[in-house]
């Protein structure tokens, strides 16, 4: 049974930092590209960042580029999202997702929800102004 468990969310003031973790089990982690998405209240879930199976490639939404960093540790089956210079508009539930790396996808596979095979339950991030 595949499980993705996010942690590290919480309440932080604007300008602060948080580091999210997503621990994976039940899958061959190093064969999966890993992504972070978020959903703010009343809004659709949106892409945040993705890292390929070997860490060679990363992708970011324009809204977080330069502030967030995605990374992974295949030895620990964990993907991270370091979030700096947080803004109130970053407030959302953050989800990690896994996509089998060898499955062909469209040009924008990394930012497309239905391209991902497994999802975590999410962790709340709240940024106060």
């Amino acid at each position: 049974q595949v499980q993705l468990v996010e942690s590290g969310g919480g309440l932080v003031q604007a300008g602060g930092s948080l580091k999210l973790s997503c621990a994976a089990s039940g899958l061959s982690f190093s064969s999966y590209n890993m992504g972070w998405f978020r959903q703010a209240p009343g809004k659709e879930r949106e892409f945040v960042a993705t890292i390929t199976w070997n860490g060679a490639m990363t992708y970011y939404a324009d809204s977080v580029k330069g502030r967030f960093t995605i990374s992974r540790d295949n030895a620990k089956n964990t993907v991270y999202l370091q979030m700096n210079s947080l803004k109130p508009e970053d407030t959302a539930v953050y989800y990690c997702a896994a996509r089998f790396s060898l499955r062909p996808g469209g040009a924008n596979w990394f930012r497309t929800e239905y391209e991902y095979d497994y999802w975590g339950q999410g962790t709340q991030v709240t940024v106060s102004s």
Side-chain angles (χ1 to χ4, degrees), residues 114-127:
Y114 64 75
E115 291 277 8
Y116 287 80
D117 304 302
Y118 304 105
W119 291 83
Q121 292 299 306
T123 185
Q124 176 70 47
V125 172
T126 304
V127 184

Side-chain angles (χ1 to χ4, degrees), residues 55-112:
M57 297 286 290
T58 56
Y59 307 87
Y60 295 94
D62 287 343
S63 59
V64 307
K65 203 170 291 183
R67 300 188 298 122
F68 291 11
T69 303
I70 189 170
S71 62
R72 67 189 296 159
D73 186 339
N74 285 352
K76 295 183 178 180
N77 286 3
T78 301
V79 62
Y80 306 97
L81 186 68
Q82 176 67 48
M83 305 185 295
N84 298 329
S85 302
L86 283 161
K87 305 174 181 180
E89 51 263 43
D90 294 318
T91 294
V93 177
Y94 284 71
Y95 300 89
C96 73
R99 184 188 187 279
F100 186 55
S101 62
L102 297 181
R103 181 161 53 84
N108 290 312
W109 65 266
F110 54 92
R111 63 187 311 128
T112 305

